[in-house]
Amino acid sequence: MTEEQTEEQSKGQTDAELPLRERKKRETRQRISDIATGLFQERGFDAVTVAEVARAADVSAMTVFNYFPRKEDLYLDRIPEAAETFAAAVRGRRPDETPLAALRRMALELLDQGHPLAGVSDRFPAFWRVVIESPALRARAREGTEELETALAEALAEASVADPHLLAALTVAAYRSVFVTTARRLLAGDPAAELIDDHRARMDAAFDALERMQP
C-alpha cells in the first residue's frame, strides 16, 4: 500500500483506530503544528523561520516540510481537513438528505462539538490576529477557500447536482460570511458563549437562502 493510500484510508478514523505508525505520524504532525502556532502567536508569523520551528519541535526542517509543504500550512493546518469535511458531508449524506441538508447538518454539528472549523471559540482572536498581520497567511487563506470550493464541487458533481461549481461557491461563501461575522465579533471582544446562538441562527438563515436558490 502506498503512503497516499494509507493516508486516504486513515481519514475519518479516530486515533485509537489507526495503526501505531499512522497514529505516531498524526501525533508528530499535530505537535509540530502546535509548537509553530505558539511561536507564531508569540512573535508573529514572518518573524519565525521553519528552521526555528524544527529546532523547537526537535525534528529536522525536512521533516517539517514532509508534513507541511509550505510554511503557511504550519499555521493554517486545517485547510485539508475543511475540504475533506465538506466533501464527506455530501458523500456520506443520509438516504433522505439533499446535499445542502447534509451540509447544514455538518455545520451545526461542528458548532455543537465546539470544533475549530465552526469558528466560535475564545481562542480565535489570538489566532486570527496573526493571520491579519501576515500577507502570506491571508493569501494562503484565500487559496484554502478555493481548495475547499474545488473539493466540494467534486462531491456535488458526484451527487448529480445541476451546477456543482456554482453551488459549491455559494455554499462556501455563505459559510465564510457567517464565520467571518463571528470572527469580527470575537476580535471586538465579545465572549464566544454569547455568540453561539446568533452564529447558529445566521448559519440556518444562510442555508435557508441557499435552499431557496435551488431549482
Side-chain angles (χ1 to χ4, degrees):
M1 181 178 291
T2 67
E3 185 170 345
E4 289 79 6
Q5 289 172 320
T6 302
E7 183 178 351
E8 185 66 28
Q9 187 181 63
S10 70
K11 286 179 181 177
Q13 290 182 290
T14 65
D15 286 351
E17 295 171 330
L18 290 171
L20 179 60
R21 178 173 177 270
E22 294 306 313
R23 189 162 65 246
K24 286 188 173 181
K25 286 174 62 177
R26 182 176 288 188
E27 290 170 355
T28 299
R29 184 182 191 279
Q30 189 61 54
R31 181 169 59 85
I32 293 170
S33 177
D34 289 345
I35 289 171
T37 295
L39 291 172
F40 295 149
Q41 291 186 358
E42 178 184 348
R43 294 165 48 196
F45 179 78
D46 297 327
V48 178
T49 66
V50 172
E52 289 175 299
V53 172
R55 283 197 296 272
D58 196 26
V59 298
S60 68
M62 182 176 293
T63 297
V64 173
F65 283 119
N66 283 341
Y67 287 100
F68 304 94
R70 289 186 285 182
K71 179 185 172 184
E72 291 80 8
D73 294 331
L74 280 163
Y75 200 65
L76 299 175
D77 62 314
R78 290 190 182 272
I79 289 174
E81 180 184 355
E84 173 63 22
T85 299
F86 274 65
V90 175
R91 293 187 174 114
R93 67 191 183 282
R94 296 166 181 168
D96 60 339
E97 272 187 323
T98 66
L100 275 178
L103 287 164
R104 183 199 296 257
R105 180 166 58 84
M106 173 213 73
L108 298 180
E109 286 178 352
L110 290 175
L111 181 62
D112 290 339
Q113 295 163 7
H115 195 285
L117 292 178
V120 188
S121 170
D122 289 321
R123 300 189 305 272
F124 269 83
F127 180 90
W128 285 115
R129 286 190 185 100
V130 176
V131 177
I132 291 168
E133 293 169 0
S134 170
L137 285 175
R138 294 200 304 272
R140 181 69 185 104
R142 288 192 293 271
E143 288 181 358
T145 299
E146 295 174 0
E147 291 168 18
L148 175 54
E149 285 184 17
T150 298
L152 180 55
E154 290 174 357
L156 290 170
E158 293 170 11
S160 301
V161 169
D163 193 336
H165 294 284
L166 176 60
L167 184 57
L170 290 172
T171 301
V172 172
Y175 192 96
R176 181 180 179 278
S177 176
V178 176
F179 190 102
V180 168
T181 297
T182 296
R184 286 174 177 160
R185 292 186 61 182
L186 288 168
L187 285 164
D190 290 352
E194 297 179 6
L195 299 178
I196 292 175
D197 289 344
D198 178 69
H199 185 97
R200 182 187 304 278
R202 286 185 289 107
M203 190 65 74
D204 264 328
F207 276 96
D208 286 344
L210 290 169
E211 293 281 5
R212 289 192 294 271
M213 294 177 189
Q214 287 288 281

